[in-house]
Amino acid sequence: MKNVELSKNYLNYSSISRCVKDDSSSWHLFCLYSGKCCCSSVNVSLNKIYRRSGIICYPCVSSNSVTCSLSYSTFADNHANSHNCICFWVVGAIYETKSCNILRNTQGGAYSQGTFHTRGNLNIDDSCIIGNTADYIFTVSSSPYTITISNCTVDKTSNNGYLTIQNT
């Protein structure tokens, strides 16, 4: 697949559940890599992976459009010994999470990057983010990037200084 917006990398109407491999060789539960990435109507639940228990997304970069989107999906009861549950990895890409349930995920260890971790701008809209356990729920690698949550139900907003809250 070419790493351009015209290349589509989609995972739709799927369930990934009860995958367990929590030794240090298990890095990701699943990864969307290259092109424009979309994860719609997916259930990712009850998994235990050492580093990233939900998803990691490596999309192409576009300065004016979203190149990785999670929508109408559930990430629940996943456990990572380190790192995060949902990771958007490409620096400068634009990411979105819409109408998702992010429930009761746990991340721990010295390398925990939070429930959400991004290296680009991330907008989270109309989602439910409850019961997650991590030092920070929202982390950004560095400025100028931010996470903006809007019209969400959240019980914790712990972050590393790059979070904007609107109508939550």
Side-chain angles (χ1 to χ4, degrees):
M1 173 180 298
K2 293 183 179 178
N3 197 22
V4 296
E5 283 185 79
L6 294 176
S7 294
K8 309 289 189 235
N9 192 352
Y10 288 9
L11 176 67
N12 299 313
Y13 305 105
S14 301
S15 185
I16 301 169
S17 182
R18 298 187 187 274
C19 298
V20 176
K21 183 164 171 113
D22 61 350
D23 63 49
S24 61
S25 68
S26 60
W27 282 61
H28 316 304
L29 180 67
F30 77 95
C31 175
L32 293 176
Y33 189 86
S34 293
K36 189 169 185 176
C37 301
C38 180
C39 183
S40 179
S41 300
V42 173
N43 172 35
V44 178
S45 299
L46 299 166
N47 299 293
K48 187 173 183 181
I49 302 294
Y50 188 78
R51 292 185 191 243
R52 294 183 172 96
S53 62
I55 183 174
I56 185 165
C57 189
Y58 293 88
C60 64
V61 176
S62 172
S63 61
N64 46 355
S65 69
V66 172
T67 56
C68 184
S69 177
L70 307 180
S71 60
Y72 305 104
S73 295
T74 296
F75 295 84
D77 301 305
N78 298 296
H79 177 79
N81 288 334
S82 70
H83 289 71
N84 45 53
C85 181
I86 299 171
C87 183
F88 302 106
W89 195 249
V90 175
V91 174
I94 301 170
Y95 304 97
E96 70 179 9
T97 300
K98 289 186 172 187
S99 303
C100 290
N101 294 309
I102 317 302
L103 309 170
R104 300 176 307 275
N105 299 288
T106 57
Q107 296 75 47
Y111 301 104
S112 178
Q113 296 171 329
T115 304
F116 286 91
H117 180 74
T118 185
R119 297 176 74 185
N121 288 319
L122 167 61
N123 292 316
I124 304 171
D125 300 310
D126 305 313
S127 295
C128 183
I129 306 164
I130 294 178
N132 298 287
T133 303
D135 289 341
Y136 297 121
I137 302 301
F138 306 98
T139 63
V140 176
S141 288
S142 64
S143 65
Y145 306 113
T146 62
I147 296 174
T148 301
I149 57 175
S150 179
N151 297 319
C152 293
T153 300
V154 297
D155 60 352
K156 296 180 210 166
T157 57
S158 57
N159 66 87
N160 66 339
Y162 302 97
L163 179 66
T164 301
I165 300 171
Q166 299 175 343
N167 301 324
T168 298

